[in-house]
Amino acid sequence: MTSTTTTGPGGRPDTHEEPGAPSDDVGPGSGTGDRFDRDDLPTAPGATRALLFSLLRAHRARVLVAALLLLVQQAAVQAGPLLVAYAIDRGVPAFRDADHGPLIAVAVGYALCSAAAGGMQYAFIAVSARINQDVLLDLRGRIFRHAQALSVDFHERYTSGRLISRSTTDVESLRELLSEGLQELITVILSFLSISLMLLWLDPGLGAAAVLSFVPLYLLVRLYQRRAGVLYAARSTAIAAVIVKFAESMNGIRPVQAFRRERVNDAHFEKLNHAHRWANGSATLEMARYVVGSRLVANTAVAGIVLWGAYRVASGTLALGVLAAAVLYLRRLYDPIDRLGMFLNSYQSAAASLGKIAGLLAQTPSVPETADPKELPALPGEHPGREVVFDSVRFAYRTGGEVLPRFDLTIPAGRTVAVVGSTGAGKSTLAKLLARFYDPSEGRVLLDGTDLRDLAVPELRRGVVMVTQEAFLFSGTVAENIAIGRPDATREEIEQAARAIGAHEFIAGLPEGYDTDVRKRGGRISAGQRQLVAFARALLANPSVLILDEATSSLDIPGERAVQRAMDTVLHGRTAVVIAHRLSTVEIADRVLVMEHGRIVEDGTPSELIGGTGRFAGLHRAWRESLT
Ligand SMILES: Nc1ncnc2c1ncn2[C@@H]1O[C@H](COP(=O)(O)OP(=O)(O)OP(=O)(O)O)[C@@H](O)[C@H]1O
Ligand SMILES: [Mg+2]
């Protein structure tokens, strides 16, 4: 009845090139989110179906029970017209002969069938609702786990708004399919089958005529499916674009208001909103065309069959009861066609959505965890530091030119290296390669001689910790935020870390001290304070390699000084990479690297470089002059 084509033409659910489909390229002035919708993730042919089956497989037994319940329910429902035919052709004549038995039997049978149908329906809804909820639970969990496991470069391309759309609207359309659509489909198929058989059995001629009328209906269904598939994929893309724009504008509400972007944003949002409405409207119209077309076919068929049947009753070749039953069956036969439309509707919508989810789930981390992890050598004695080597590393972002052309660097265990250089020189890129947010395009990054790619991810995360400018805080208390560095840390250890970094005073001054919720009123803390919390977190983690990328940039001079004093103890014995624009931060380093265009252009101790004539000396002189 329904084809199993799950995606649009060509096996791709993404139909941006389709004529008439709204483009999600919303033109100039659009935010960064829009670029990505144009190259939505590809889905392998059959991936959508495979996903649906893998979701249902875990509930095989219950799916079977649900199908059996529906089968019995259908049998009970379809017995009705047969009983009517029996009543007319047998019961009534017998009644005239004062034999009440057959009519009473029909009445009792009818009541029993109705009761059975109702009971089965109830049981079916109860069973299928549980399947649905479990499937959706499973799917949302899968999306979250999978998205979280994907590498940073994926998230730079695929916005959080689109992820939200996948786990809300797209999951919702699967819910509609499961809770309404599938029942419709099974009911429709069962009733088509059972009614056709009944009709053929009652009267082969009438039955054959009814079965023949399925041919144009089938063609209609195929046509609808093909056209609606395109429209629903476009609709899913359109709603994702709306959500992306919404999320982006609200996330960036400060710059939006600071730069008076509201009107531009309004116009842009309106455009996306309209595109979504347009997509919705076209899908509905397509559905309407299908419903009208199918009714036309159905009514023509019923009229033809009834005329022919009446002629045969008049000429005495057909019993009146049989014609009555046939008419009742025919009505039931074509009734579900509208419902089939509903099913196709939710099916197309869910197929488009599932296609997008399948595309997401098919993504593999670009920084995969090794199947055969190597152990790092045990640390000798007191020294927590490890040697870091960049061995002929080349690196380019997926969406840009080469950032590191060929990079070699050795940092002996326990040393502190400062990296300075102009904006865009590649300092943060260096840090991210060392923390393995990305893998080099060529060459290796080694930690105590072991390629980062050969380390188990937990060991790497323990070994290398990066503190950045953003200093992200999770919802929860200040203490919890620090404890992320080491979840089993005691309150004393948390406080110790905070004291070491000079964060204890401000934390103690918060309304509830360490138990202040950072997302609640009173817990709003400044950018510099956030950095201090992030610092304490990194300290508590006690890594072998600590990377500080502009980690003190939001602190005032006294705050930075306090952190610097703390760093003398904190960094002791540890390997550290300190990236900073403020040259005061650099003085604690054993060695300073000056980076330009992804290359090291100067390398030496702070005093060597300050005493020399290179870039760093110039920068340092300018900096000293600015202080006086
Ligand atoms: N996620 C990314 N995708 C594509 N290109 C990127 C990405 N991040 C950085 N780049 C590019 O890589 C180059 C180096 O960036 P990087 O962030 O390493 O510079 P930086 O030295 O840390 O600069 P800053 O001092 O401003 O922090 C820049 O030209 C930048 O445009
Ligand atoms: Mg940077």
Side-chain angles (χ1 to χ4, degrees):
M1 196 83 266
T2 49
S3 130
T4 42
T5 318
T6 47
T7 51
R12 276 184 55 124
D14 311 311
T15 49
H16 314 287
E17 283 79 43
E18 286 301 322
S23 155
D24 18 44
D25 176 10
V26 285
S30 59
T32 50
D34 309 298
R35 174 161 51 97
F36 307 111
D37 264 8
R38 242 180 293 158
D39 58 351
D40 215 333
L41 305 170
T43 317
T48 311
R49 221 174 313 145
L51 175 60
L52 187 60
F53 281 133
S54 88
L55 286 167
L56 287 174
R57 202 174 302 129
H59 311 287
R60 269 187 307 248
R62 276 192 274 164
V63 170
L64 203 69
V65 169
L68 277 176
L69 286 169
L70 263 191
L71 202 70
V72 177
Q73 187 245 2
Q74 275 302 304
V77 169
Q78 302 309 354
L82 212 60
L83 290 170
V84 170
Y86 184 79
I88 293 177
D89 291 340
R90 299 275 171 76
V92 175
F95 192 77
R96 283 202 197 106
D97 301 337
D99 177 8
H100 300 176
L103 265 193
I104 292 173
V106 165
V108 172
Y110 211 96
L112 281 179
C113 284
S114 304
M120 294 298 145
Q121 175 94 17
Y122 178 83
F124 170 81
I125 291 174
V127 172
S128 64
R130 284 196 39 201
I131 301 175
N132 298 348
Q133 292 313 321
D134 288 350
V135 163
L136 299 179
L137 187 89
D138 181 14
L139 186 60
R140 276 210 189 85
R142 282 198 209 186
I143 295 174
F144 183 81
R145 281 192 302 275
H146 195 82
Q148 195 173 236
L150 287 173
S151 310
V152 171
D153 81 316
F154 169 81
H155 292 278
E156 283 166 351
R157 283 177 294 129
Y158 203 82
T159 53
S160 59
R162 283 212 290 163
L163 283 176
I164 293 169
S165 173
R166 291 300 90 88
S167 60
T168 54
T169 47
D170 288 335
V171 169
E172 176 64 13
S173 62
L174 179 65
R175 188 196 66 73
E176 276 170 25
L177 174 71
L178 290 177
S179 67
E180 292 143 30
L182 274 187
Q183 184 192 354
E184 296 295 349
L185 177 71
I186 298 175
T187 314
V188 166
I189 292 177
L190 284 180
S191 54
F192 272 176
L193 278 178
S194 56
I195 294 174
S196 306
L197 287 178
M198 288 286 193
L199 278 172
L200 283 169
W201 178 70
L202 276 174
D203 183 84
L206 292 184
V211 170
L212 264 182
S213 71
F214 291 170
V215 174
L217 279 177
Y218 175 75
L219 294 177
L220 205 65
V221 164
R222 288 305 303 261
L223 183 71
Y224 172 72
Q225 255 204 325
R226 198 159 342 111
R227 297 172 59 142
V230 173
L231 294 170
Y232 278 103
R235 193 182 73 160
S236 164
T237 306
I239 187 63
V242 168
I243 294 174
V244 166
K245 182 68 196 170
F246 201 101
E248 188 196 84
S249 304
M250 299 308 149
N251 277 337
I253 191 69
R254 287 180 194 86
V256 163
Q257 295 189 350
F259 290 95
R260 307 266 172 279
R261 289 278 296 174
E262 292 93 336
R263 283 192 36 201
V264 179
N265 265 354
D266 278 349
H268 186 193
F269 186 80
E270 176 129 332
K271 211 164 154 184
L272 293 173
N273 210 6
H274 271 96
H276 174 235
R277 189 187 69 169
W278 186 89
N280 240 340
S282 345
T284 312
L285 275 184
E286 195 56 43
M287 163 82 184
R289 282 194 277 274
Y290 163 77
V291 169
V292 171
S294 62
R295 282 201 188 149
L296 203 67
V297 173
N299 288 338
T300 313
V302 172
I305 292 171
V306 169
L307 268 178
W308 183 44
Y311 170 76
R312 283 178 51 198
V313 171
S315 57
T317 52
L318 190 67
L320 181 61
V322 172
L323 181 62
V327 171
L328 285 177
Y329 274 130
L330 280 173
R331 291 223 14 222
R332 286 195 185 183
L333 183 61
Y334 297 115
D335 254 4
I337 285 173
D338 283 3
R339 303 205 331 245
L340 182 64
M342 303 292 273
F343 164 76
L344 287 176
N345 222 11
S346 50
Y347 176 78
Q348 290 300 355
S349 169
S353 291
L354 264 183
K356 297 202 166 199
I357 294 174
L360 172 65
L361 293 181
Q363 291 289 306
T364 50
S366 57
V367 180
E369 184 161 4
T370 173
D372 176 26
K374 294 202 178 110
E375 301 254 316
L376 282 172
L379 286 166
E382 288 271 292
H383 291 283
R386 291 189 187 276
E387 183 199 49
V388 168
V389 174
F390 282 76
D391 175 21
S392 310
V393 168
R394 293 177 66 156
F395 180 74
Y397 289 100
R398 272 174 77 134
T399 50
E402 195 157 69
V403 178
L404 300 182
R406 188 195 143 93
F407 197 85
D408 283 290
L409 173 67
T410 301
I411 308 174
R415 294 300 167 81
T416 299
V417 168
V419 183
V420 299
S422 50
T423 294
K427 306 181 294 295
S428 297
T429 305
L430 189 72
K432 287 187 277 186
L433 284 168
L434 180 51
R436 204 183 172 218
F437 286 141
Y438 306 90
D439 280 335
S441 327
E442 269 176 42
R444 304 178 300 166
V445 182
L446 306 168
L447 193 62
D448 264 0
T450 309
D451 194 321
L452 294 186
R453 281 175 284 220
D454 293 332
L455 287 177
V457 169
E459 180 154 35
L460 177 68
R461 296 282 167 252
R462 261 200 312 276
V464 182
V465 164
M466 176 149 95
V467 183
T468 63
Q469 196 168 9
E470 289 89 30
F472 186 82
L473 296 191
F474 297 90
S475 49
T477 66
V478 175
E480 282 164 358
N481 264 288
I482 297 176
I484 286 169
R486 183 144 50 89
D488 59 355
T490 63
R491 180 53 70 92
E492 283 69 48
E493 289 169 319
I494 292 174
E495 279 198 32
Q496 216 174 357
R499 274 181 208 280
I501 216 70
H504 178 75
E505 283 67 35
F506 102 79
I507 297 173
L510 290 171
E512 289 164 66
Y514 282 85
D515 294 318
T516 309
D517 193 318
V518 296
R519 292 283 156 94
K520 295 230 174 82
R521 275 174 71 89
R524 298 281 170 197
I525 61 180
S526 76
Q529 291 167 337
R530 272 210 307 275
Q531 285 196 336
L532 289 177
V533 172
F535 244 112
R537 178 194 290 166
L539 241 189
L540 194 61
N542 189 28
S544 303
V545 179
L546 185 63
I547 308 168
L548 308 178
D549 187 358
E550 307 281 341
T552 53
S553 59
S554 299
L555 299 180
D556 57 7
I557 304 288
E560 192 172 39
R561 285 270 173 236
V563 168
Q564 267 170 33
R565 274 194 302 277
M567 276 202 298
D568 266 351
T569 44
V570 168
L571 297 182
H572 182 73
R574 231 177 275 283
T575 311
V577 176
V578 181
I579 299 170
H581 280 296
R582 290 203 207 157
L583 296 189
S584 54
T585 323
V586 167
E587 286 168 357
I588 56 161
D590 302 311
R591 183 174 160 201
V592 180
L593 306 175
V594 183
M595 225 175 142
E596 288 307 322
H597 303 297
R599 290 174 210 275
I600 296 171
V601 293
E602 281 175 47
D603 182 350
T605 63
S607 48
E608 273 170 24
L609 292 188
I610 292 167
T613 54
R615 265 193 67 90
F616 187 74
L619 282 174
H620 197 264
R621 217 174 305 118
W623 172 69
R624 286 221 79 89
E625 280 161 14
S626 73
L627 291 182
T628 51

